[in-house]
Amino acid sequence: MVMRTTAGALGGASTITGLCAAALTLLVAGNAAADTLAPGGNSVGKITRVSKGVKELSLETQLVFHSDTNKNGEGDEDDTTTTNLALVGAPVFRYFLIDNLNLGLHLGGFYKSASAKTGDVETLKTSDAGFLGTLSVSYNVSLGGGMFIAPLLGGGYFAGSREVTTPGVNGAADLVIRSSLSGGVGRAGLGLVFYPSSRFNLFARPEALMYFGSAKEKDEARPAGAPAVDPDAHSFTTIDAGFTCGASYIF
């Protein structure tokens, strides 16, 4: 009788131990799954991995401003000031091809402005504007707590127009030379991405945009005495480096 009672107790203890082990296994599996962001934004807890099939719609902008002033004499009226402004904005669609690796399509535009002044007199003004489209590849490396470091590489195409204005002197009309622009563009950045929830993220990265293009003057009428239209296209290379930031909706 005693032997049967002992065996029953041991059997009950074994059953309880098995149930506890099963519950612990499910709990660990549940916590692991909760850290993975799945398609549809279905996850809870701190995200440490973004799985294949996740899609993001983002808005991102980059603003670069630079100004130089050279002293040419004792008075401010002789100072030469050069300013440059570059602005890039785009909606972006990202798709994760495999866990943590995404392909991004950036379709937006760019605007650039440069001017030179001597004292308060503007001596030259240049502005560029147009379309900018690139494909990029980025890989998310988890830092914990929903934070990732994300190196990015990409390239694409740009097209637009340039307007160079030289102010007229002694009452003469301004000379405006317009050109068409086109060429390739490369981009490289190293940013941070933060997922505060399964539905959106915030990101910021130092990034360089490298333009390899050509400019060709448009065949337009010009004031008497102005230089003739240059029929040749002239190559140029421009690098804009600044901070790109934005936010994404995840689905």
Side-chain angles (χ1 to χ4, degrees):
M1 185 68 178
V2 173
M3 292 294 292
R4 285 195 296 270
T5 303
T6 303
L10 290 175
S14 177
T15 301
I16 293 173
T17 301
L19 290 174
C20 290
L24 182 60
T25 300
L26 290 174
L27 179 61
V28 171
N31 286 337
D35 292 336
T36 299
L37 178 58
N42 296 320
S43 68
V44 294
K46 299 297 183 181
I47 296 168
T48 58
R49 184 174 65 179
V50 184
S51 68
K52 174 184 177 181
V54 169
K55 298 176 283 295
E56 297 179 355
L57 283 177
S58 308
L59 285 176
E60 64 179 30
T61 59
Q62 182 190 83
L63 177 65
V64 181
F65 178 78
H66 179 72
S67 178
D68 283 328
T69 299
N70 295 318
K71 296 286 186 180
N72 299 323
E74 295 183 359
D76 293 341
E77 67 276 2
D78 296 324
D79 294 348
T80 300
T81 301
T82 303
T83 59
N84 295 274
L85 171 69
L87 176 64
V88 175
V92 185
F93 174 74
R94 294 186 178 88
Y95 180 79
F96 281 80
L97 302 173
I98 59 176
D99 288 0
N100 290 334
L101 178 69
N102 70 75
L103 180 68
L105 175 61
H106 310 241
L107 295 176
F110 66 92
Y111 173 78
K112 301 182 182 183
S113 177
S115 64
K117 288 184 178 181
T118 299
D120 294 329
V121 179
E122 189 171 62
T123 57
L124 186 68
K125 182 176 181 180
T126 303
S127 62
D128 296 353
F131 164 80
L132 174 64
T134 62
L135 282 174
S136 66
V137 176
S138 180
Y139 187 79
N140 290 3
V141 180
S142 177
L143 300 177
M147 184 73 74
F148 295 80
I149 187 169
L152 177 146
L153 288 173
Y157 176 79
F158 74 94
S161 60
R162 170 174 295 167
E163 189 173 281
V164 180
T165 303
T166 304
V169 295
N170 299 323
D174 294 348
L175 174 60
V176 180
I177 297 177
R178 298 179 178 86
S179 305
S180 59
L181 308 175
S182 63
V185 61
R187 65 194 312 158
L190 182 63
L192 291 174
V193 185
F194 176 57
Y195 288 81
S197 79
S198 62
R199 285 299 182 183
F200 75 96
N201 67 36
L202 303 171
F203 58 88
R205 61 180 179 269
E207 182 176 27
L209 288 169
M210 297 151 281
Y211 299 84
F212 309 95
S214 62
K216 185 174 183 180
E217 293 184 8
K218 296 180 180 179
D219 189 6
E220 297 178 331
R222 295 182 179 175
V229 174
D230 186 347
D232 298 325
H234 296 275
S235 299
F236 65 88
T237 300
T238 305
I239 300 176
D240 295 328
F243 273 92
T244 299
C245 59
S248 306
Y249 172 72
I250 303 164
F251 59 104

